[in-house]
Each structure stands twice: as structure tokens, then as C-alpha cells.
Amino acid sequence: MTKRPVRFYQVGSFAVGNRLLADDQRTVQSDPNRTNSIDSGHRACQGCGEALGARYALDAAMRAAGGRVVTVNATGCLEVFSTPYPETSWRVPWLHSLFGNAPAVATGVAAALRVKGREDVRVVGQAGDGGTVDIGFGTLSGMFERNDDVLFICYDNEGYMNTGVQRSAATPPAARTATTDAVGPEPGNVFGQGKDLPRIAMAHDIAYVATATVADLHDLEQKVEHAMTLRGARYIHILVPCPLGWGSASSDTIRVARLAKESGLFPVFEAENGRVTSVSPIRRRARVEEYLRLQRRYAHLFGAHPRPDIVARLQDIADENIARYGLVNDETEDVPALEDVKEMVH
Amino acid sequence: MLRQIEGSRAVAETVALCRPEVVCAYPISPQTHIIEAVGAMVKAGTLAPCEFINVESEFAAMSVSIGASAAGARAYTATASQGLLFMLEAVYNASGLGLPIVMTLANRAIGAPINIWNDHSDAMAARDTGWIQLFAETNQEAADLHVQAFRLAEELSVPVMVCMDGFILTHAVEGVDLMTQDEVDSFLPPYEPRQVLDPDDPVSIGAMVGPEAFEEVRYLAHLRQLDALALIPSIADSFAVLTGRDSGGLVHPYRTDDAEVIVVALGSVLGTIKDAVDARRAQGERLGVLGITTFRPFPRDAVRDALAGASRVVVVEKAFSLGGEGVVLTDVAMALAGRDVALHNVIAGLGGRPITQGAIDSMLGRASTGDLGRLTFLDLDESAVSRERSRIAAARRTGPSAENVLYDRATQGSRVAQEQS
Amino acid sequence: MFQVRIHGRGGQGVVTAAELLAVAAFEEGRPAQAFPSFGSERTGAPVVSFCRIDDHPIRTREPVMSPDAVLIQDVTLLHQIDVFAGLAPEGYALVNTSRSLEELGLAGLVTSLPAGHVATCPATDLALEHVGRPLPNAALLGGFAALTGVITLDALASAIGERFAGAVGERNVAAARAAFEFVHVEQERLTSAATD
Ligand SMILES: Cc1ncc(C[n+]2csc(CCOP(=O)(O)OP(=O)(O)O)c2C)c(N)n1
Ligand code: SF4
Ligand SMILES: [Mg+2]
């Protein structure tokens, strides 16, 4: 008998409709009684992945903790757009201190709750990639190393968006930012060694490390909820496309996030106590080119003076991730032909 | 060449003409346009040889600058507000080591509450760091001060901070006469370090100094600041010979000769004050303005001389020492010690509140009728303050004051608007 | 001194508009100053920018509170903020719209200002036609040149060309010229109607 794959998902998406699922498997977002931790009316740009990611993550954390959550937020877009004069979008207790100290502030909150015998109240720290991998890195590593009881979430939009799109240590090679202009022999950001925070977090042997994207709501919520069942230092790194900084259409946020995963550029996995425990395999393999072409920050790789050599180097990075995490399995659909890629993005 | 250009761009291009060899900075509003422009020039190869380094924090930015300067390179950086505080330990270190780094400070308020707009709290927080602090009145002066700053820093081996008002100057597009490479080269000789890390002549920089010599080292640093008081005017003079422009120097008196009342201020607000003073002069009042360009070292004698004829002095400043009074006022009061002068302190423009000519004018009106107190917060919404005070008095858990006041101001504001419409 | 205030939304080039105006004045040898309203606004948020043009050096740094002209890049702001606050009695107003002033509820404004001082201009449509993107700023400035005569179209064109290289610049100039033409014709029609 020939095998015929049954597609659960709508065309172009892998999302399972909630109505096909039992109640307890449905997403937090589908629940009309969810917290709305970040209420509507905030001032993020249209299609902001960070607004979406933070809302998904916090609502899931709230459900898991029975509404007993305190959150600490580093300076950055999320902080600025969620507390516009004279309003706040937060329906959870929220503290913004500084750009570089959110993990340590979260440690302080956790210590106070412990000393007051209120360990039912859980602490979630939040920051952008800059607040996490750059200026907050020292205090984050300290929080991991002491195994403080904090879930720290990084919303990675691969740059300092709040200050007008400058490079961070999470900015991918070749991407154009305000401090990595698309000029010279290696236009855009350098091909450095990278600063892979999920792996660095794993090297601290903390209870839980996971990555996720806003393209897979089930996966993201599940990871947050699982993290909330554990104690000690935990870290979740969420890829959140930024239409403004990436130069992608605001309607393409989910698509771009999905392509980051499906190309292998952003590996989605979980690790406990320093070991990878699961990976989200690629469902329909994409070429990095398909991903890059949707974003003006890579436009210099394709325009009048195309740079297939650089695209190939980026493809190598994706292939390396695929090999490292075993992201391709028997069910992965093959990579499309290059002609089709061009077709798809037009 | 005269160009209509953004202040940040003018500074970036002028800094490039100064041939910095290592530029290391960390983005923070309102400094970003400056470092983005310098970075782009390095990446495009138009500023060469120069290393532009994107780092992970301001602490790293100043630290890289320290390393570069100690290894003999001309080093430049820029920051503002929170960034200056984040690097503060290294800021003290740079001056303690006597490294001639030049830094632009795009003046911005310090949080909390977080605020990206202009005031002088950041510069005042670094007043005692041992850096020379120069304040620009216009973008022309901001650009010019950088050229002078490198020369001053390197002659004395002291770091220099060029302060320019965030947004008000950094983001304003106006006419700036940019120098040519030849002009800058003729004014600014190549950097010849007084101390350098060099295997051919090894030295230890940054050794521990105990009680036996620390005081002397500190006193020497103070003397170098006093040397700067003499050097700054002479550098400004030779700059004027070269360019014909009156940029830099210690102070800028304006119509002070016969003035009974003199307004003292720093930075871009001087323009608005001059307009207000001219308008009142036209009505026959004898008013003048004193701009302080060099704030550290504080030019006490120059200030005293410039204020010699005044019977009333109003210090308008964009920072405040909580529980004390204005920072500039304290210095001006010392300069006037022993003189019989009415001294007023006006705190204005905190966190970017616009300082309007109208507000200055009515303040001057009160000064001339003797109705101005010792300390005034310009345009303060007293009712919002008293509402929050009574909330605090009435209950314990009143929540964050910042949010309360914001809410109050917004709802009162919209109520007023509704009533008007 | 001629003071201009421009209202629009983040992403519409409001700040660039003020800068282009200042550069155009500079091209004509007049001191000018442009600056934004200094916010941390994101795409879509209300944004204000200012421009001053004078025959003498400009010293003041206060925001423009009594503008001689107000440019509205986005009509949805009309009901959100008081965009005409402080407008001088002899001032000008230019609104980016393809609708009429009456439809927008601005008939009162027309009567309160001198004849021919209020105009509309479909700047977004013209930008879409000539530039291919809904960025009304350059076009609206063309309309401003026609309405007020404070800057010439040529100076504006060279400011635009300086800012945007190559074809993008040319297309923006084309949009500005079309807007100039539109407002000019509209003004002629109105003034002749007024004399009739
Ligand atoms: C000490 C300090 N340096 C710099 C800044 C300016 N600053 C505020 S947010 C930010 C970038 C934020 O980037 P990221 O953490 O990635 O968050 P995003 O805005 O991209 O979501 C910067 C540079 C600051 N507030 N404090
Ligand atoms: S700049 Fe990017 S991260 Fe910030 S609000 Fe806009 S889309 Fe979101
Ligand atoms: Mg970021």
C-alpha cells in the first residue's frame, strides 16, 4: 500500500486548528479567560513579533502559575511600547529597572519572595537580545550559576531595535543594521564567532533551556508551561521578527519566523540540565534564500550586485545547525529548488 | 564649507577629520546618529586607518577606549545618560590614568523614571570624574569643540567630554561650517602620547598608589585641570585665528557690559535666553547673558569678572542636586563669594520639558520686580505635585508616584482640552 | 521668521519633511533650522516636526508653538490632536487628502484664515503614482511651495535630490512638482472664484 501523508495543517502553516483538539490541549491564547498579561493598546509597530511573543509567553506562565507571577523587564522595545504615557499594558506586576540588570533584579525579587515565604509567586525576567546577550550577560550568567529561581525569557529580534536598529551580538552575519552598514567587501554584520546564548545557558547546566519562535504557538506555550513546573534557573530564547528592523512586511512576521526555523537558521530545541532532550524537526525544509529574500536587511545580497557567496555562507550556518541538532528526519520534506524559491517570494 | 546638516552628522564628520584611530561606542539615544555615522565612514573606508568596534556595553566602550589610548591610539567614544553611568567606573579610571580620550555626551536625563529627553543630569553626575567638560551652545560650536577637545586632551593628557544637548542639538538640522581636512591637520598635530605601552620602552600604567603618594597624584591631576584653565582660552584663540569663529573658551558673555541682571546658563538654551533678553532690552531693561562653555575645570575668575557689574544673577540650569540646589548655582555662588549680589536659581527643562521664550520672559519679569525667589522650578505643575502629596499623606499604598503624576497630568490635560472644545 | 509645524505619523517621513524644507531654504541662502518633536514613537504614532526659516541667524530652541504654516500629512490626526493650535491669524494650512475641506469638517478653518491660505493636496496619491510608495512628504512640500511661496520649487527639488540619490530622488521630485501644480491650479481657481 502506498503511503499518503495526511496534512493536519492549513496550507502554508503547520498549525493544528484548536477545534480539532481536546480542551486540555488547546492553546492558552484560545482561552477567552486567558490573562491578557499584555493588554491591547500598547504601542508596538504593526506585526511586532516581540509583542506577540511576550504575550504568548506571559499568558502561558500565568496559566501555569495560577496567576501568581511577578515580572521584571529590561529596557528595550517591550518596555517602551508597553508602558506608553500615561498608560500601562501590563496586567501582571511589572518592574522595569535598567537595561543591563534585569536578571539580577529578578534574583532580588525571588529572594524577597523566598524570605517572605511566598514561593507560590513565580518570577519571570524578560529582556530583548541586547539586554540578554550583551549588556545583561554578566548578571544573567550570575543568576544561572547561582541557580536562582527565575525563568528568564529573551525576545530575540537580533538587534537593538529600541534605539533604532543597531547591531547586537545576536545580529546574524551579513544583516544590515545602523551600525553594520551594507558597504565594503563584507557588507552588513561581520561573520563573527556568534554568541549562541541557548548553548551558553546550557553550559551552566541549569534545569531548563529552550528555544522557540512565534510561529509555533503550541510549542512556545508548552515550553513556558513546562518551565514553570521546574524550580531554579530556567531560560527560554524566543525568536521574534521585527518588521521595522528586519525590513519585512508586517503581515509576514509569522512566515518569517517559521522560515527561520524551517531553514535551520534558528534551531528549535529543549535541554534539561545541560543536555538536549528534544528538537523540533524541520517539517518542510526551506532554503535560507527563501528566508533572506523577505527581509530588506539582506537586500544587498540580492540587488544589482548579488552576493551568492555570502548567501552560501549563511546556508552553511543553517546546514551546520541541521547537522548539530539533527533537525532533518524522515518526515522532512525536501528542500525546494532554487527557481521555486524565487517564485515563492514574489 | 557651510552645510545644512544634522548636528550629529556635523559632529561625526568633524570627529572623522580629527583622524581618530579607535572608535568604540555603544548605542543610546540621543547619541546614536553620531556613532552610526562614524561607523559607516569606517566601514566604507572613508575614515582610515580607524577601527570601529561595536561592543556589548558602555562599560566595554570606555574600557576599549582606555586600552586603545594607552597603546598610543587617538581614541573617541560617545554616550549619554544611562550609558555614562554604566561606564562611570571606567570614566574615572580614564582620567585617573591621564588618558586623552575624547567623548561626546549627548546630554539626556537620568532615570528612573526612564526618560530619553534632554537635560544636564548626566554631565553633572560626571562633574567630579576629572574629565574636562565643555558645553556647546550650537551645532557649529559642538563641531568646533571636538577639534579643540582633541588638542586640549592630548596637550594635557586629560580626557575631555564635549557636551551637546540631546535631540535639541543632536537632531537639529541647521547650518554648520565644516572644517577642511587641511585646516584640522594644521590645528591638530598627530597624537604623541605622554605614556604608552611599548615593548621597546616598557612602563607600568595603573599601579596601585598607597597613602604615601595618592594625595600628590590627585593634586597633580587638579593642577592639570588648572593648567586647562589657561590652555583652553589660548586654544580657542588660535582656533579663532584659523576659522574666524568664536567657539570654545571658558565663558561667553553677551551684552553683560552695562547689565544689572545677568542670566547664567550652559548649552543650547542660551539661544532662547538671548532672544528673551534682547526683547526685554528693547523695552529698556539692562539685561545680559553669561554662557559657561567650560564647566570643568570651573572658570571661577572668568565668571566672577563677567558678573562684576551685575546686582542680580539668575542661574538657569537643567540639573538639580536633590536635597540641595542647582549644581551650577553652587559654583557660581562660590565665584561670587563676598560680593553683594542677589542670586537666583531657576531649574528648567528637566527631562526635555521645552524651555520657551515666554517662560524665560515671565521669569525675567519677576526677577526685575524682585519677585523671583531663590529657587524656582520653571513651569512646574504645582497642582499635580500637591495632589500626589495629599495622596501620600492620606494613604499608605499609593503606588509609584511617577505613574500617578503621569495619569494626573494626562487626565487633567484632557479635561482641560475637553472643556475648551 | 517663518515657522512651520508638520504633523504626521511615524514612518511617513515627518522629520525628513522638516529637514528637506530647511535644506531648501538653505539652498536659497536663508538660515533655517529643522528639528523633530523628540519622541520615542514607533511606526504609526503621531509625530511632529518643526522648521524655522529666517533672514537672520536663528537662536531660539523652543518648539514651534505659533506656526505660520501647518502641514498635515495624515488626516486621521485631525480628530486626535489639536493640529492647528497656535496657528497665526494670517497663517497657512495644507492638508494631505483627496477629499474636500468641507468633507473633513474644516470649513471653519477656511473662513478664519485669509482667502487662499488653506489648501488640500492628494500627496499620498501623488506619491503612490510617482514614487510607488505611500510617503507623502516630498509631494506635500511641493504643495507647500505653491501655497506659501516661502521656498521655490527649484530649491525644493535640489533638496530632495540631495537627500535621495538617483531614481528615487527624481521620482520624489516628480511627485513634488505634480503637487505644486495641483495646489497652484487649485489656488488659481479659488482666487478667481473669489473675485467673481
Ligand atoms: C546603560 C544603557 N545603555 C544603553 C541604553 C540604550 N538602550 C535602551 S534599549 C537598547 C537596545 C535594546 O535592545 P534589545 O535588548 O535587543 O531590545 P529590543 O529593543 O530590540 O527589543 C539600548 C541600546 C540604555 N537604556 N542603558
Ligand atoms: S521596532 Fe521592532 S521590536 Fe520594536 S516595536 Fe517595532 S516591530 Fe516591535
Ligand atoms: Mg533586540
Side-chain angles (χ1 to χ4, degrees):
Chain A
M1 206 178 88
T2 52
K3 213 166 89 181
R4 243 185 90 201
V6 178
R7 288 175 201 256
F8 239 139
Y9 41 85
Q10 297 109 334
V11 177
S13 129
F14 299 114
V16 178
N18 266 303
R19 67 203 146 71
L20 297 175
L21 295 173
D23 274 354
D24 63 339
Q25 289 181 321
R26 292 188 181 179
T27 57
V28 180
Q29 289 303 313
S30 70
D31 179 356
N33 297 319
R34 63 175 185 258
T35 335
N36 285 332
S37 312
I38 306 175
D39 218 338
S40 55
H42 59 69
R43 307 289 202 267
C45 310
Q46 248 181 15
C48 172
E50 185 161 285
L52 212 55
R55 177 191 173 88
Y56 291 174
L58 268 248
D59 282 351
M62 283 291 278
R63 180 163 91 176
R68 310 289 285 165
V69 170
V70 172
T71 175
V72 171
N73 205 147
T75 310
C77 265
L78 176 60
E79 166 262 323
V80 171
F81 74 60
S82 65
T83 51
Y85 156 84
E87 296 143 5
T88 173
S89 287
W90 296 95
R91 294 192 164 217
V92 292
W94 178 89
L95 169 62
H96 162 244
S97 171
L98 293 170
F99 186 25
N101 68 356
V105 173
T107 291
V109 173
L113 293 170
R114 194 166 57 246
V115 79
K116 300 232 170 239
R118 297 180 66 189
E119 277 154 312
D120 59 315
V121 180
R122 310 300 304 277
V123 183
V124 177
Q126 313 182 75
D129 48 298
T132 307
V133 311
D134 284 336
I135 201 166
F137 186 64
T139 52
L140 183 67
S141 177
M143 191 274 279
F144 287 165
E145 167 272 318
R146 293 183 303 267
N147 201 26
D148 296 327
D149 190 15
V150 172
L151 167 60
F152 201 87
I153 302 177
C154 169
Y155 303 109
D156 181 5
N157 53 22
E158 305 187 332
Y160 299 151
M161 300 319 179
N162 183 50
T163 34
V165 196
Q166 296 88 11
R167 170 204 193 267
S168 82
T171 301
R176 186 198 62 207
T177 70
T179 45
T180 56
D181 218 351
V183 294
E186 285 214 347
N189 192 26
V190 289
F191 276 80
Q193 293 303 108
K195 193 173 192 176
D196 187 339
L197 211 89
R199 282 207 287 146
I200 296 172
M202 279 169 63
H204 291 76
D205 286 351
I206 55 175
Y208 187 65
V209 172
T211 64
T213 77
V214 285
D216 193 341
L217 177 58
H218 276 281
D219 177 70
L220 193 163
E221 289 186 348
Q222 209 178 4
K223 285 170 174 167
V224 173
E225 292 193 284
H226 179 61
M228 294 302 282
T229 66
L230 305 171
R231 290 277 173 173
R234 289 143 291 144
Y235 179 71
I236 300 183
H237 190 108
I238 306 176
L239 185 75
V240 292
C242 163
L244 183 93
W246 296 14
S248 50
S250 44
S251 53
D252 271 345
T253 297
I254 302 295
R255 184 178 177 205
V256 168
R258 186 181 304 115
L259 283 170
K261 183 216 159 204
E262 296 291 292
S263 63
L265 275 177
F266 187 82
V268 177
F269 66 95
E270 286 179 291
E272 298 201 13
N273 306 312
R275 282 167 198 248
V276 175
T277 52
S278 82
V279 300
S280 302
I282 293 173
R283 307 278 287 270
R284 187 195 296 136
R285 191 163 172 189
R287 285 183 183 274
V288 296
E289 183 163 345
E290 201 180 328
Y291 169 73
L292 303 175
R293 277 185 180 273
L294 291 174
Q295 306 170 51
R296 279 200 307 281
R297 64 176 169 159
Y298 296 111
H300 53 280
L301 304 182
F302 302 104
H305 310 281
R307 294 294 303 264
D309 55 324
I310 294 179
V311 176
R313 287 173 79 185
L314 293 169
Q315 182 67 52
D316 287 346
I317 294 174
D319 294 347
E320 181 57 34
N321 284 336
I322 290 170
R324 171 177 287 146
Y325 293 96
L327 298 175
V328 165
N329 64 18
D330 297 349
E331 289 173 28
T332 302
E333 276 182 40
D334 256 350
V335 58
L338 207 52
E339 302 81 70
D340 296 343
V341 171
K342 286 180 187 132
E343 199 81 322
M344 276 176 230
V345 291
H346 287 137
Chain B
M1 188 178 70
L2 186 64
R3 280 164 60 191
Q4 187 76 7
I5 184 173
E6 193 196 48
S8 295
R9 179 90 217 166
V11 167
E13 293 199 13
T14 305
V15 165
L17 294 175
C18 295
R19 304 186 188 275
E21 293 162 299
V22 175
V23 177
C24 181
Y26 191 75
I28 181 163
S29 306
Q31 147 268 37
T32 45
H33 292 187
I34 302 174
I35 60 140
E36 287 168 7
V38 177
M41 285 184 260
V42 174
K43 190 118 204 270
T46 52
L47 170 53
C50 180
E51 290 276 336
F52 181 83
I53 305 169
N54 285 305
V55 278
E56 75 284 359
S57 74
E58 287 85 0
F59 184 68
M62 182 50 71
S63 304
V64 168
S65 306
I66 288 171
S69 185
R74 182 171 285 166
Y76 169 78
T77 186
T79 192
S81 178
Q82 311 299 129
L84 180 71
L85 295 198
F86 201 84
M87 62 164 67
L88 200 59
E89 189 183 4
V91 172
Y92 271 89
N93 187 254
S95 69
L97 294 175
L99 297 172
I101 300 162
V102 170
M103 169 159 72
T104 311
L105 188 66
N107 297 106
R108 153 178 162 183
I110 287 174
I114 188 170
N115 177 297
I116 62 165
W117 293 270
N118 166 251
D119 71 27
H120 289 167
S121 311
D122 51 4
M124 295 303 151
R127 171 191 74 166
D128 300 334
T129 53
W131 284 57
I132 289 170
Q133 290 183 313
L134 309 175
F135 278 80
E137 179 178 337
T138 61
N139 280 329
Q140 180 68 62
E141 190 167 42
D144 293 346
L145 282 179
H146 282 84
V147 183
Q148 300 189 29
F150 278 106
R151 177 148 150 200
L152 176 66
E154 290 169 8
E155 272 194 52
L156 293 173
S157 227
V158 172
V160 178
M161 196 182 291
V162 179
C163 301
M164 65 189 292
D165 284 316
F167 291 113
I168 297 173
L169 290 183
T170 55
H171 287 53
V173 171
E174 57 189 28
V176 178
D177 199 348
L178 287 175
M179 294 172 77
T180 63
Q181 187 66 66
D182 286 346
E183 279 176 323
V184 174
D185 287 346
S186 74
F187 186 78
L188 180 62
Y191 173 36
E192 187 54 59
R194 208 172 262 288
Q195 47 175 348
V196 66
L197 299 168
D198 180 0
D200 294 334
D201 180 16
V203 290
S204 307
I205 304 177
M208 176 177 270
V209 174
E212 68 283 6
F214 193 82
E215 192 165 319
E216 286 70 23
V217 174
R218 272 276 169 262
Y219 186 66
L220 279 165
H222 174 61
L223 290 183
R224 265 186 310 191
Q225 291 274 326
L226 299 187
D227 291 343
L229 282 179
L231 187 56
I232 289 167
S234 86
I235 287 181
D237 286 347
S238 41
F239 190 83
V241 169
L242 178 69
T243 63
R245 287 195 296 273
D246 175 30
S247 297
L250 299 176
V251 294
H252 278 119
Y254 176 78
R255 304 186 85 168
T256 50
D257 283 350
D258 63 338
E260 289 162 354
V261 179
I262 297 181
V263 185
V264 180
L266 279 61
S268 65
V269 72
L270 284 162
T272 313
I273 294 176
K274 286 175 186 170
D275 278 0
V277 160
D278 283 358
R280 292 189 81 88
R281 270 219 172 238
Q283 310 299 314
E285 281 184 42
R286 289 187 3 218
L287 294 166
V289 185
L290 180 66
I292 298 182
T293 310
T294 303
F295 181 64
R296 278 293 177 276
F298 190 73
R300 201 180 291 181
D301 294 343
V303 170
R304 187 207 310 270
D305 293 349
L307 298 177
S311 56
R312 198 179 287 283
V313 170
V314 183
V315 179
V316 176
E317 57 183 308
K318 296 181 174 180
F320 187 64
S321 170
L322 300 176
E325 49 192 356
V327 184
V328 182
L329 177 98
T330 312
D331 287 321
V332 172
M334 269 187 325
L336 294 175
R339 277 207 35 220
D340 182 24
V341 156
L343 194 54
H344 305 273
N345 197 187
V346 176
I347 309 299
L350 295 189
R353 177 160 303 181
I355 303 178
T356 62
Q357 186 178 332
I360 298 278
D361 181 67
S362 68
M363 180 274 290
L364 290 174
R366 275 176 287 146
S368 68
T369 54
D371 292 328
L372 190 65
R374 166 80 176 190
L375 177 63
T376 306
F377 280 76
L378 200 67
D379 272 345
L380 184 76
D381 182 345
E382 311 235 7
S383 64
V385 172
S386 63
R387 275 195 298 277
E388 177 63 0
R389 294 281 287 183
S390 31
R391 267 195 296 267
I392 290 171
R396 182 69 209 165
R397 200 186 269 208
T398 48
S401 279
E403 275 66 14
N404 292 343
V405 172
L406 275 178
Y407 187 77
D408 237 26
R409 298 259 305 157
T411 48
Q412 292 296 115
S414 60
R415 208 168 302 152
V416 173
Q418 264 166 16
E419 278 159 17
Q420 282 170 348
S421 63
Chain C
M1 174 138 54
F2 194 91
Q3 308 192 90
V4 184
R5 194 171 65 212
I6 307 176
H7 292 272
R9 290 186 182 275
Q12 289 179 337
V14 180
V15 177
T16 308
E19 293 178 6
L20 288 173
L21 206 50
V23 172
F26 174 80
E27 303 271 334
E28 294 174 337
R30 305 178 69 192
Q33 176 199 58
F35 55 106
S37 65
F38 319 142
S40 62
E41 283 85 3
R42 276 159 182 68
T43 319
V47 175
V48 186
S49 66
F50 311 101
C51 181
R52 292 194 168 93
I53 300 171
D54 205 348
D55 296 320
H56 314 282
I58 300 164
R59 292 189 302 203
T60 183
R61 301 282 171 186
E62 65 177 11
V64 169
M65 284 166 305
S66 318
D68 299 294
V70 171
L71 272 59
I72 314 295
Q73 288 199 354
D74 192 311
V75 282
T76 61
L77 291 168
L78 286 175
H79 308 292
Q80 284 201 353
I81 35 184
D82 185 4
V83 289
F84 301 110
L87 180 58
E90 303 276 296
Y92 295 88
L94 178 62
V95 185
N96 169 22
T97 180
S98 47
R99 294 194 285 162
S100 73
L101 292 163
E102 290 69 28
E103 279 176 279
L104 295 172
L106 292 179
L109 184 74
V110 179
T111 46
S112 70
L113 294 172
H117 280 217
V118 189
T120 63
C121 170
T124 304
D125 297 349
L126 292 172
L128 280 170
E129 183 186 332
H130 292 275
V131 189
R133 290 179 62 197
L135 282 176
N137 55 1
L140 204 61
L141 292 180
F144 170 82
L147 180 68
T148 65
V150 166
I151 50 161
T152 63
L153 187 57
D154 286 345
L156 177 63
S158 84
I160 295 173
E162 216 174 276
R163 177 74 179 233
F164 305 104
V168 180
E170 283 161 27
R171 288 189 223 126
N172 272 294
V173 170
R177 286 193 193 286
F180 183 94
E181 226 21 69
F182 179 94
V183 172
H184 191 67
V185 169
E186 210 43 19
Q187 291 302 96
E188 301 259 281
R189 194 175 60 78
L190 284 178
T191 34
S192 65
T195 46
D196 281 351

